[in-house]
Each structure stands twice: as structure tokens, then as C-alpha cells.
Amino acid sequence: MKIVVLDGYTLNPGDLSWDELETLGELTVYDRTPIDKIAERIGEADIVYTNKTPITKETLDLCPNIKFIGELATGYNNIDIIAAKNKNILVCNVPTYGTNAVAQFTIALLLELCHHIGAHSDAVKEGDWTNNIDWCFWNHPMVELDGKTMGIIGFGRIGQRTAKIAQALGMNILALSNNRRPEFETETCKYVDLEELLAKSDVISLHCPLFPETRGIINKDTIGKMKDGVMIINTSRGQLIVEEDLRDALNSGKIAGAACDVVSIEPIQLDNPLLDAKNIIITPHIAWAPRESRQRLMDIAVKNLRSFIEGNPINVVN
């Protein structure tokens, strides 16, 4: 059985091993695959893994041996799953591998917005503390989170884990979800509608999938319903935010700060409006990327194929 990984570098830049996958077939791993080489590199392979490399109906037509496509991520919009299903090709993704990592990163972004640790460290290294007439100084306002309210839009596994950490910091949680689970409600956590979440949150964190109803959920109108001085964090999907509207709200001071690990077009383009915004942190889609999280992803991806071979497929999306 021939196995091809089209873009393995993002998952494994060299600190993990492909050995377990190699036990299941004749393995070829490419770091990256340009669009015009996809069908050629798949060739006669039975098994294809992809992270962001697109697999279209046209590619499937050119590669009739494919029996299984493994998505090396949770999102699978780069694969034409309907065309795959029509050709009896199973598509599996990797859910839940990054829950702890993304929640931890979300709180890291929040704490950086509150304390500006990097900026203060840079100032010390540049001599500002040495030359200061007082025994300490700060060059940004700082925020204590105890007693503040975090609104979480999307209360799945990552949203729930983020809420636990935020509650440990003394925060109250307002959760927005289509799937309400009463057992999660406590004195410091309750479900609300969007209007209440917008009106009462000091921090809003996005953890929802990108659906038509969530696209652009942070926009001029919803921002207008928020508290003055709110902070916004997005570790989910860039298209959840109308970036021009977020920029304007940051520059006007309506929003005190924002942190985005994702943007609408990735890698970020130089004309992205957020690059012209005040008080924003932008990181290159790395919330998922600790080694422990990537190893978990690798293990599940291998398990998906092994289960398929054994006739009991798991994590099937089509």
C-alpha cells in the first residue's frame, strides 16, 4: 500500500517521527506540494495525507487509486469531501488533539494584553529601567482579571477548557453555544444569548467553527453593543472577524486590545487592515503547535488509517 503525505513539514518539521505511519505501507513524505504537482505526487497512491494542500474533484479524477484521505488537522475544507464520497473514498480528520494547547495559548494572549510583558521586557533591555528615576516603571496600563467577565463564543471542548483556566483566574464566564449542557452551568459560568454576552463581557474569546451564521460575527454592529474597553481574542478562524471593523474600533479606543492567532487570508497579507491597528497582537496561527499537541495529532492520524485498514474507520467526515 502506497502512502503519500503532501505537506508534512507543518506537522513535523523534524522533531517528530513518521515511523508509525511507515509501518502501514510504502511511505513518501513531501514537506510541501505546489498546486501543479499534487496529482503527480499522489500518482498511484492508495492513501493520501494533507494538511492544507487542496484535494479537488479534478485531482481525484486523475488519481483513481485513492481509497483514503487523511486530514492532518481538524478543519477539512481543503478537501472536496462530496466528490470523495461519490468515489467511495473515505475522508478522516483529527479532532480534539489541540484542546489544551489552544486554550493555554488563548490565556497567554489574554495575559499579554493585560500585562504587556514582552514590551516591558524589551524596555528593560533597551535601558529604560536603568535610566528611570524611580525604582519601577510601566509603559502600558495593566489589567487585573479577577472579577472580570469573559464571554466565550463557541463552547465546545476548547471553549470549555479556556473557561476553566479563566475561572481559576477569578473570572466569570458567559457562554454562547447552540448545544447547551446544563451540567456546565455554575455560579461563575452560565449560558446566555449573543446580546447579553456582548453587553456584559470584559473579554470576548472566539472558539466557534466558521459557518455562514458565524462569518463576520465580530463586526461594526456587534462591536457597537460591547462595553467600551473590551478585549477580543481570536484563536479560531480569521473570517469570524470583519477585520476593517476591528481595526477601526481599536484605533478609536472602543476596543482596548485584541489578539489574533488567525486572520482572514493566511499567511497574512501586507494589506491586512489589522496591521494598521493599535494595541493588537498578531501571531502566525501557532496556538495548536506545541510538540505535545502535534504528537497527539500524529498519533490520531496513524490510528485513523489503522482503523480504516482494520475495517472499523473512525473520525470519518464524509
Side-chain angles (χ1 to χ4, degrees):
M1 187 169 63
K2 294 184 178 180
I3 306 170
V4 171
V5 179
L6 292 173
D7 49 359
Y9 185 86
T10 301
L11 168 60
N12 180 17
D15 57 347
L16 303 180
S17 171
W18 296 105
D19 288 353
E20 283 298 309
L21 188 58
E22 197 164 16
T23 65
L24 300 177
E26 177 187 330
L27 177 64
T28 302
V29 179
Y30 297 99
D31 284 348
R32 304 165 188 85
T33 294
I35 297 294
D36 60 351
K37 296 287 186 180
I38 295 172
E40 176 185 331
R41 288 186 174 179
I42 293 174
E44 297 181 354
D46 308 277
I47 310 299
V48 179
Y49 279 96
T50 178
N51 188 316
K52 294 295 182 286
T53 302
I55 299 183
T56 63
K57 179 182 182 300
E58 290 72 24
T59 296
L60 296 176
D61 288 340
L62 292 169
C63 303
N65 284 3
I66 298 175
K67 301 174 181 66
F68 173 96
I69 300 173
E71 179 68 70
L72 295 172
T74 301
Y76 47 86
N77 58 306
N78 57 314
I79 301 170
D80 188 331
I81 61 170
I82 295 174
K85 182 176 182 178
N86 290 338
K87 292 178 177 292
N88 296 316
I89 299 170
L90 206 69
V91 179
C92 296
N93 72 336
V94 183
T96 75
Y97 71 92
T99 300
N100 293 332
V102 176
Q104 176 180 308
F105 195 84
T106 299
I107 299 299
L109 291 174
L110 175 58
L111 293 174
E112 179 64 19
L113 285 175
C114 289
H115 297 288
H116 305 276
I117 293 169
H120 283 105
S121 177
D122 290 343
V124 170
K125 294 173 184 177
E126 291 166 3
D128 291 3
W129 195 14
T130 303
N131 299 320
N132 195 63
I133 61 174
D134 299 310
W135 63 274
C136 75
F137 77 96
W138 53 91
N139 53 22
H140 293 275
M142 291 183 284
V143 177
E144 182 177 285
L145 292 171
D146 184 63
K148 301 253 183 335
T149 297
M150 173 182 281
I152 298 180
I153 299 178
F155 207 58
R157 292 182 180 90
I158 296 174
Q160 293 159 23
R161 182 61 179 163
T162 301
K164 279 190 175 182
I165 305 173
Q167 285 171 296
L169 295 172
M171 301 189 76
N172 299 304
I173 305 299
L174 300 177
L176 177 67
S177 177
N178 291 329
N179 181 26
R180 297 191 175 196
R181 296 177 61 180
E183 65 268 27
F184 290 145
E185 292 203 290
T186 66
E187 289 184 2
T188 59
C189 179
K190 69 172 185 175
Y191 289 104
V192 295
D193 60 23
L194 180 61
E195 296 294 314
E196 185 173 354
L197 185 148
L198 295 172
K200 294 183 177 179
S201 298
D202 300 293
V203 178
I204 294 175
S205 190
L206 301 175
H207 297 287
C208 54
L210 179 64
F211 293 135
E213 61 269 26
T214 60
R215 181 180 293 272
I217 194 169
I218 302 300
N219 58 60
K220 184 178 180 180
D221 292 337
T222 54
I223 290 170
K225 297 175 182 178
M226 297 176 191
K227 285 184 177 182
D228 292 345
V230 68
M231 292 184 283
I232 295 178
I233 302 171
N234 187 11
T235 54
S236 189
R237 291 290 181 266
Q239 297 91 338
L240 299 174
I241 293 176
V242 178
E243 292 169 332
E244 295 87 348
D245 294 350
L246 177 57
R247 174 201 59 199
D248 293 345
L250 284 163
N251 290 344
S252 73
K254 169 68 177 179
I255 295 175
C260 296
D261 186 50
V262 289
V263 293
S264 58
I265 299 176
E266 297 176 352
I268 195 168
Q269 304 298 294
L270 292 178
D271 60 353
N272 187 296
L274 296 180
L275 294 174
D276 296 322
K278 298 177 182 177
N279 302 322
I280 189 168
I281 299 166
I282 305 173
T283 51
H285 204 142
I286 54 173
W288 68 282
R291 187 183 187 281
E292 296 87 347
S293 179
R294 289 183 290 108
Q295 182 63 63
R296 196 175 299 116
L297 194 162
M298 176 79 80
D299 293 343
I300 297 171
V302 174
K303 186 177 180 181
N304 283 348
L305 178 55
R306 185 175 287 116
S307 298
F308 168 73
I309 293 170
E310 293 171 352
N312 298 298
I314 58 174
N315 298 321
V316 179
V317 298
N318 70 335

